[in-house]
Amino acid sequence: MPETPPLPSTRLPPAILLLGPTASGKTACALTLARTLPVEIVSVDSALVYRDMNIGTAKPTAEELAACPHHLIDILSPEEAYSAARFAADARRLMGEITARGRIPLLVGGTMLYYKALREGLSELPEADPDLRREIEDAAARDGWPALHAELAGLDPDAAARLQPNDAQRIQRALEVVRLTGQPLAASYAQREPQADSHRYVAIALTPSDRAVLHARIARRFDTMLLAGFVDEVIDLRKRYRLDPKLPSMRCVGYRQALEFLDGAYDRLTFRDKGVFATRQLAKRQLTWQRNFRENWGDLVEVDCLAAGMEEQVREIVERGL
C-alpha cells in the first residue's frame, strides 16, 4: 500500500525582530547575526530613513552597510515625512522579497510605533485637517499650549492626563482627533484592523539591567557625535534643505536641540546637556514600549544588553527559534 504523502507545511517563514532602546547595541548585535546567518537587515528607525543625517542618527558606517544588505535607510529627503503605516507596508513587502530570495528578514531598530504597526495594526484615526490644525496653532500662538492642554482636559480628561502642558505636537493631534470625531482619543485608538501575519517572529528585546549604565553610554555616544562633527552636519543640512523645526526629521533627538543651539537659544554646554537629556528620555519611552510589548506579545524574549556575551546569547536564541 503506498504511503500517504505528507501534508504540505503551513508553518510561516521566519523573521527576526531585534528591538531595544538607543545605545543598547542593536547594530553590533545585528551584524554579529549577519556573520553566521543569511539575513538582510530592515531598519526599524524613523531617523535612518533620511539622507545626509548620519552622525546624529548613529547611522551604520559604510563598512557596516557593506557587510550585509540593508533596507529603509537613506530613502527620503529630510524635507519629507515617513509614517508608521508606510513603514508597515514597506516592511511587509521587503520581508516577502527577502524570504523569496531564500534569506531571513532581520528587523532592527528602536522606533517602537513601527513594530506596533507591523504586528498589531494601526488605529483608524482621521486624516489631518489643515484648517482645523491652523486654527489650533493660531490659538496656541495667542493663548499658549497650556491653555490648549486645559481645553483638551475638558474634552478628554484621560488623554490630557497623559500629556505635559507644553507637549505641543501631541496636544495638537489629540485636540484635532477629538474635535473631528467627537469622541475620546482612546475610542479612536481602539478601532484597529491588524493584518494577518505573513511570517512567524523570533522577537528579542535588548533591555538594560542597570539604567545608569545605559545613561552613561548615551552620554558617551552623544559626546562622540559632537566630536565627529554633529553640529557641522546640521549646518550643512540647513544649506542643502529647507528645514523647519516642525519637520519630522528635525524632531529627531539631537537635531531639534542643535537647531536651537545654532539659533542662539543656548550655549554649547547647555546644548550638549539638553541633547543627552532628550536621548535619555527617548530611551525611557522605548523601554516603556518594550514593557507593553512584553505584556501583549507572547513570544518576546528579553536579553540584558549590558551582559557579557550578549551577542552570543542573542544568536543562540535566534537559532533555536528559526
Side-chain angles (χ1 to χ4, degrees), residues 228-288:
F230 177 37
V231 173
D232 290 334
E233 175 177 273
V234 178
I235 292 172
D236 188 56
L237 285 167
R238 283 183 130 177
K239 293 176 182 177
R240 290 171 175 243
Y241 303 101
R242 296 187 301 275
L243 297 184
D244 184 295
K246 294 180 181 179
L247 285 170
S249 62
M250 292 299 104
R251 291 202 296 265
C252 296
V253 292
Y255 286 89
R256 179 165 57 85
Q257 291 77 21
L259 287 178
E260 291 170 348
F261 163 65
L262 290 171
D263 287 338
Y266 30 73
D267 60 27
R268 190 177 182 89
L269 180 59
T270 303
F271 158 53
R272 182 265 181 192
D273 290 344
K274 284 182 173 290
V276 170
F277 178 76
T279 311
R280 286 174 56 176
Q281 292 300 105
L282 169 63
K284 181 180 179 180
R285 293 193 298 272
Q286 289 168 319
L287 289 169
T288 299

